[in-house]
Amino acid sequence: MTFTFLPAKGSEMNLRQRKALRAVAAFLLFAVAQVSVQIGLADPNNPGSTPFPQQFIARLTTRANQPITVNGNSAATGASILTGALIETGPDTGATINLGPLGTLDIAPNTSLRLDYDENGNIKVVLISGCAILTTRRNANAEVETEKGPAAKSDKEAGGVIDICFPPGASAPTVGQGAAAAAGAGAGVTAGGGISPALLAALIGGGTAAVVIPIVVLSDNPSESAPSASLGN
C-alpha cells in the first residue's frame, strides 16, 4: 500500500506569504539604498557631490590671435581662463575675456591683473598696472581694486561698465573717464585705441535710446568720482 502525504492548505498559504514578504523587503531595501545615494550626492559636505549650477569657464580672445601671458604661460584665442588667473598683456596686444552670463573684461596692452569670478555672480579684478574695462550684466556683483584699495564697483541690479586705468607709479587710479578705452582695451580694437565691439554693444544696447551706465567710484579724489555716465543721441 502506498501513502501520499499532501501539504495542508494552511502550510501552503504560509509559504506564499513568506515569499511575498521577502519580495516586499527586497524592494524596500533597494528603495532605501537609492534614497541614501541621492541624499549623499546632494550633501555639500560630500566631496563627491556636484555643485549646481556648475562652474563655467571664461574664454579668452586676443587681438590678431597674438599670445598673452596667463599664470606665466603663453595663451591665445580660445584658451580657458580659470578663476584666480594672473593675466599679463604685452605691447600692442589687447585681450577680451568672455565671462559668460556675468559679462566681459577688456584688457589693454601693457596690463597686469588678477581675475576672480564664480557661479554666484561675483567678479573681482585686481588691477596691478595698466588699463581695463569691466562690463557686467544684471545680477553680477563686480568690483575692481588696486594696491591702493577698492576703486570701483558696478550696480548689481542694473549692471554697468567700469573703465579704469592705473599706470605704474600712479598715486590713484583713473575711473570712468574713458582712459582704458583710449588705451586700446579689448581684443577687437585697432591700433591707436578705440572701443571694442563687446563694449560698444554693451553701451548702445542695440537701440537708439540713451544708456545709463551705473558705476560707484570708490576714491578719495572728488575729481575722479563719476556716479554714472549717460550716452545717447
Side-chain angles (χ1 to χ4, degrees), residues 26 37 43 54 61 78 98 117 130 134 147 151 154 158 169 173 182 192 194-195 205 221 226 229:
V37 170
D43 184 2
Q54 293 184 356
T61 303
N98 185 343
Y117 64 89
L134 179 59
E147 63 177 9
S154 64
I195 301 178
N221 189 343

Side-chain angles (χ1 to χ4, degrees), residues 14-15 39 50 60 101 110 119 146 158 164 169 173 178 185 197 218 224:
N14 289 336
L15 180 61
I39 293 175
T50 302
L60 171 69
N110 294 317
E119 68 274 15
T146 69
I164 180 170
L218 308 175
E224 296 178 356

Side-chain angles (χ1 to χ4, degrees), residues 85-215:
L86 178 61
I87 302 165
E88 299 173 284
T89 58
D92 301 321
T93 306
T96 295
I97 298 176
N98 185 343
L99 293 166
L102 304 184
T104 57
L105 176 63
D106 292 302
I107 307 173
N110 294 317
T111 296
S112 177
L113 59 82
R114 175 189 168 97
L115 172 63
D116 292 280
Y117 64 89
D118 61 35
E119 68 274 15
N120 296 319
N122 298 307
I123 310 172
K124 182 178 181 180
V125 176
V126 179
L127 184 60
I128 301 171
S129 64
C131 302
I133 303 171
L134 179 59
T135 305
T136 59
R137 301 176 183 177
R138 292 180 58 185
N139 298 322
N141 187 28
E143 63 176 324
V144 181
E145 67 177 42
T146 69
E147 63 177 9
K148 302 296 183 180
K153 63 181 180 179
S154 64
D155 186 334
K156 183 176 181 179
E157 297 299 324
V161 177
I162 300 175
D163 181 299
I164 180 170
C165 276
F166 187 54
S171 59
T174 300
V175 182
Q177 298 183 21
V189 298
T190 58
I195 301 178
S196 71
L199 175 58
L200 185 60
L203 293 178
I204 66 176
T208 58
V211 179
V212 176
I213 309 169
I215 302 174

Side-chain angles (χ1 to χ4, degrees), residues 7 9 27 31 38 54 72 116 146 216 230:
K9 291 185 178 180
F27 174 80
Q38 295 298 325
Q54 293 184 356
D116 292 280
T146 69
V216 178
S230 178

